[in-house]
Amino acid sequence: MRPLRYSINVTLDGCCHHEAGLPPDEESMRHWTAEMERADALLFGRVTYEMMESAWRKPATGTWPDWMNEWQIPFAETIDRAKKYVVSSTLSGVDWNAELVRGDLGQAVQRLKQEPGEGLWVGGVTLPLALADLGLIDEYEFLVQPVLAGHGPTLLAGLRERIQLEFVDRHAFRSGAIALRYRATRAPA
């Protein structure tokens, strides 16, 4: 069974709004590129899918936009070509190498996890909360930014039950950010 990994930027005070942390730098973009590359597919909710598509989909011209730095292109190319699954009850269709996921979320994600491969990656806020509540996330990675936001959505706000985690790894960045990786521990059945 391939694992489902959740990764997100978060401030020291728990804010997980995509604009609350530090702007990406070359080192963090290499990190996120590696995270995307170790996934067979990406799992997004509608909001995250639309946000990522608007920023990272390769233009029809085949040329990346001028605003993009050279060091952002590997990430852009990796996410652009990745297989994507989009959980949405409001979208009528998706493209960008994506497929809609409908119906029972738990059953649909369980089927995706049972396919052969190295793993699935999920980002965002709302979908990961639902997946965590269902006990479907196997690994959590929090890229903790050295910032206090003071407002905004907080990480996994509204989680129904406590999830026990086991420390796996950490990586410190020159920016002062720290990636913390944990594995969900499962209670014996």
Side-chain angles (χ1 to χ4, degrees):
M1 182 176 291
R2 58 186 176 173
L4 177 58
R5 299 179 188 104
Y6 173 43
S7 298
I8 191 165
N9 279 300
V10 62
T11 64
L12 281 168
D13 57 347
C15 179
C16 52
H17 190 275
H18 72 280
E19 294 176 347
L22 296 177
D25 60 13
E26 191 169 347
E27 186 180 25
S28 66
M29 289 303 277
R30 277 196 312 271
H31 175 80
W32 289 117
T33 302
E35 285 302 301
M36 298 288 153
E37 287 175 340
R38 57 183 213 130
D40 303 309
L42 313 178
L43 184 60
F44 293 137
R46 179 193 56 81
V47 172
T48 302
Y49 169 77
E50 289 176 342
M51 181 179 66
M52 294 299 214
E53 182 184 29
S54 69
W56 302 111
R57 184 175 190 158
K58 193 167 203 169
T61 63
T63 304
W64 292 107
D66 291 339
W67 63 262
M68 194 176 291
N69 293 309
E70 189 70 30
W71 49 265
Q72 292 175 305
I73 292 175
F75 176 84
E77 289 175 340
T78 300
I79 196 168
D80 184 61
R81 73 175 167 259
K83 172 70 179 164
K84 299 159 196 79
Y85 294 98
V86 181
V87 176
S88 174
S89 60
T90 58
L91 291 175
S92 59
V94 291
D95 57 3
W96 195 39
N97 197 26
E99 184 178 315
L100 272 175
V101 174
R102 297 213 187 262
D104 182 272
L105 177 64
Q107 290 175 5
V109 172
Q110 196 65 5
R111 277 192 302 273
L112 291 174
K113 288 178 68 168
Q114 290 173 354
E115 292 177 8
E118 297 300 312
L120 300 165
W121 183 91
V122 64
V125 178
T126 306
L127 177 60
L129 174 61
L131 295 170
D133 274 337
L134 292 168
L136 292 171
I137 298 176
D138 301 293
E139 194 173 285
Y140 293 80
E141 181 188 50
F142 307 117
L143 188 54
V144 182
Q145 301 289 340
V147 172
L148 297 172
H151 67 283
T154 55
L155 185 64
L156 298 169
L159 192 62
R160 288 193 306 237
E161 292 184 30
R162 185 174 86 159
I163 298 172
Q164 191 66 37
L165 304 175
E166 173 185 33
F167 177 75
V168 173
D169 193 21
R170 69 175 166 76
H171 174 79
F173 294 84
R174 288 186 303 274
S175 67
I178 299 175
L180 300 169
R181 189 180 310 270
Y182 297 90
R183 185 177 303 117
T185 58
R186 308 281 187 236

